[in-house]
């Protein structure tokens, strides 16, 4: 099964990426996921379900530890054996 994760961390800082945002970016980029896209207001990545779920776990733990006060997260199944796009 393949998953797509979309997430944002808060609080925002328009002048400079806060530490929790930098940590989130590092976790996702280092997780071996496909189609990683990081931006100032949201991040997305795709990959095998186990890799995405492990990255989400690490991202939540590390960003909260780095000062995030809120993490908005959405995970979608995008394909796999017997799965359709969705």
């Amino acid at each position: 099964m393949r998953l797509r994760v979309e997430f944002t961390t808060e609080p925002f800082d328009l002048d400079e990426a806060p530490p929790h945002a930098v940590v989130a970016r590092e976790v996702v980029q280092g997780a071996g996921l496909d189609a990683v896209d990081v931006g100032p207001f949201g991040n997305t990545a795709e990959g095998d379900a186990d890799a995405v779920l492990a990255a989400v776990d690490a991202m939540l733990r590390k960003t909260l530890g780095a000062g995030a006060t809120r993490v908005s997260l959405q995970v979608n199944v995008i394909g796999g054996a017997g799965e359709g796009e969705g």
Side-chain angles (χ1 to χ4, degrees):
M1 177 186 316
R2 287 184 55 78
L3 301 176
R4 176 184 298 126
V5 61
E6 301 175 45
F7 67 92
T8 58
T9 61
E10 297 179 36
F12 294 116
D13 183 338
L14 297 178
D15 296 325
E16 181 178 337
H20 59 80
V22 173
V23 166
R25 180 181 313 140
E26 290 171 352
V27 169
V28 172
Q29 289 176 327
L33 302 176
D34 306 328
V36 174
D37 183 24
V38 296
F41 299 109
N43 308 281
T44 61
E46 298 178 6
D48 174 74
D50 289 336
V52 170
L53 295 174
V56 166
D57 177 63
M59 182 272 299
L60 288 171
R61 292 175 188 278
K62 291 181 179 183
T63 57
L64 293 171
T69 58
R70 178 179 176 147
V71 179
S72 300
L73 174 71
Q74 180 173 308
V75 178
N76 294 308
V77 175
I78 58 172
E83 303 285 341
E85 289 290 314

